[in-house]
Amino acid sequence: MKRIHALATSLLLAAGVAQAATVHGEDFESGSTPAGWSGAGTVQSTGSFASLGFGQQHLRVEGSNAAVLTLNNLGAHTAITLSFDLVLWDSIDGNPGGFPYGDMFQLRADNVTLIEQLFGNYGTNGSEGPGSTLVQNDANRGYGFWVDSARRVELTFAHTADTVRFEFQYPNSQGSSDESFGLDNLQVSITPVPEPGSWALLLGGLGLVGLASRRRG
């Protein structure tokens, strides 16, 4: 029986079913805006966040317009996985109501909203935000006080088009002197559609596994 299980595993690996392939990666260390990016955002120093794995440079977005990443010629696929580090600069409001008003981070892909979530570092109600915490120091949080905050975000969504357009935005940002955010360590992967030959190999091999199982039974 162990041999049958090993054969089935080998067939799955040989068929290469749903193996993710990286199609874009960017750490902004070149110091200039990379190809594919448009809209808001300039490459700037990460300052104190360099110690968190952000490197020396990142894309900083100051204002309410979106930073846009467009990728072409993705090839046949069934899903996209996007991961990136998100950092808050200055005093992005974290309250869901009252003053200051809460700021919503938005991520869209081809005009479909993937994330719309409160994430701030100023005010009495701290926001968890999307993804997992890199740093969020809640000590002495209150009006007139803000803290460094950063998240690591990863999500997978169904997608089949040959082109994808991502938009990263704080639509109600009050501007660079008061609020801004940054992106770094961004990676885009696709789940390719298996080749017809791979499916034939997999189905034929699983048939042999089933036959072997019945003979042993």
Side-chain angles (χ1 to χ4, degrees):
M1 186 62 69
K2 290 182 179 179
R3 289 182 180 178
I4 294 174
H5 289 166
L7 175 59
T9 301
S10 298
L11 288 168
L12 287 171
L13 293 174
V17 176
Q19 296 296 309
T22 300
V23 295
H24 183 82
E26 186 55 61
D27 60 10
F28 303 100
E29 291 301 295
S30 68
S32 59
T33 304
W37 288 89
S38 60
T42 57
V43 177
Q44 300 183 24
S45 169
T46 55
S48 62
F49 288 98
S51 62
L52 299 174
F54 274 75
Q56 300 301 312
Q57 306 287 332
H58 75 320
L59 186 73
R60 184 167 177 173
V61 183
E62 302 170 292
S64 59
N65 294 327
V68 179
L69 171 62
T70 303
L71 300 177
N72 301 307
N73 303 316
L74 295 178
H77 61 282
T78 59
I80 287 179
T81 297
L82 170 68
S83 62
F84 60 95
D85 291 341
L86 171 67
V87 59
L88 297 186
W89 287 105
D90 308 313
S91 56
I92 294 181
D93 303 329
N95 280 2
F99 182 84
Y101 296 101
D103 286 327
M104 304 294 290
F105 174 75
Q106 292 183 350
L107 168 63
R108 294 182 297 278
D110 299 332
N111 296 317
V112 175
T113 299
L114 302 178
I115 295 175
E116 188 174 43
Q117 189 170 352
L118 190 70
F119 178 31
N121 60 349
Y122 173 84
T124 55
N125 295 327
S127 304
E128 287 302 315
S132 58
T133 303
L134 286 175
V135 60
Q136 183 166 328
N137 176 10
D138 291 317
N140 300 318
R141 179 184 293 274
Y143 293 122
F145 183 83
W146 57 88
V147 295
D148 292 343
S149 298
R151 311 286 295 185
R152 178 159 291 143
V153 183
E154 180 173 327
L155 71 165
T156 300
F157 58 97
H159 189 275
T160 58
D162 195 46
T163 298
V164 64
R165 172 186 166 95
F166 293 107
E167 297 175 80
F168 306 82
Q169 187 175 20
Y170 263 103
N172 58 337
S173 173
Q174 294 171 269
S176 60
S177 62
D178 185 61
E179 301 174 335
S180 58
F181 72 94
L183 303 169
D184 202 3
N185 301 320
L186 184 142
Q187 182 171 297
V188 180
S189 301
I190 61 170
T191 303
V193 175
E195 295 292 335
S198 296
W199 281 115
L201 173 64
L202 176 63
L203 293 174
L206 291 178
L208 291 175
V209 171
L211 180 61
S213 297
R214 287 195 295 272
R215 287 179 175 177
R216 291 177 65 90

